[in-house]
Amino acid sequence: MRDDTTRMLVNRAQFDNSHETRDRIRERTSAVRAIEHTIEYLDLVGSCHDFVATLGRLVPQLRGQEFTEDERETVRRQISRVRAAADWLEGALDNGEFTL
């Protein structure tokens, strides 16, 4: 397809069709949702583990290095983002936002 608009519309229609088909399968087959739940759970737990493991490797390697004030501020901003994300996750768990 040479026309960008036509190509975009066809791609969108294919995506919508796939999404609808996936939803129908999910509704008809409870095992699919259980498998998706397991995958999502493992992704979540794995993400937390990866973060902690990465820090466990990096922090000892950084001992003795000097950082500029800008670098320290950048790291502090990112730590704030990590805290906010962890609080969000913990709140979602505590509020039952992950129930099926």
Side-chain angles (χ1 to χ4, degrees), residues 52-65:
V52 172
T54 298
L55 286 182
R57 263 192 328 275
L58 287 176
V59 172
Q61 292 175 358
L62 296 173
R63 284 194 183 119
Q65 291 191 26

Side-chain angles (χ1 to χ4, degrees), residues 26-65:
R26 192 183 280 146
E27 288 171 9
R28 293 178 187 165
T29 313
S30 61
V32 170
R33 184 61 201 135
I35 291 167
E36 288 176 341
H37 169 81
T38 301
I39 291 168
E40 292 161 353
Y41 167 77
L42 291 173
D43 281 347
L44 182 60
V45 171
S47 294
C48 293
H49 172 77
D50 287 346
F51 178 74
V52 172
T54 298
L55 286 182
R57 263 192 328 275
L58 287 176
V59 172
Q61 292 175 358
L62 296 173
R63 284 194 183 119
Q65 291 191 26

Side-chain angles (χ1 to χ4, degrees), residues 59-96:
V59 172
Q61 292 175 358
L62 296 173
R63 284 194 183 119
Q65 291 191 26
E66 296 289 327
F67 292 101
T68 67
E69 188 57 35
D70 285 345
E71 289 171 331
R72 284 194 295 273
E73 277 307 310
T74 298
V75 173
R76 284 185 185 109
R77 277 194 306 274
Q78 296 308 311
I79 291 169
S80 293
R81 293 180 69 199
V82 168
R83 266 194 199 104
D87 289 345
W88 177 35
L89 172 58
E90 190 171 32
L93 284 170
D94 291 345
N95 295 324

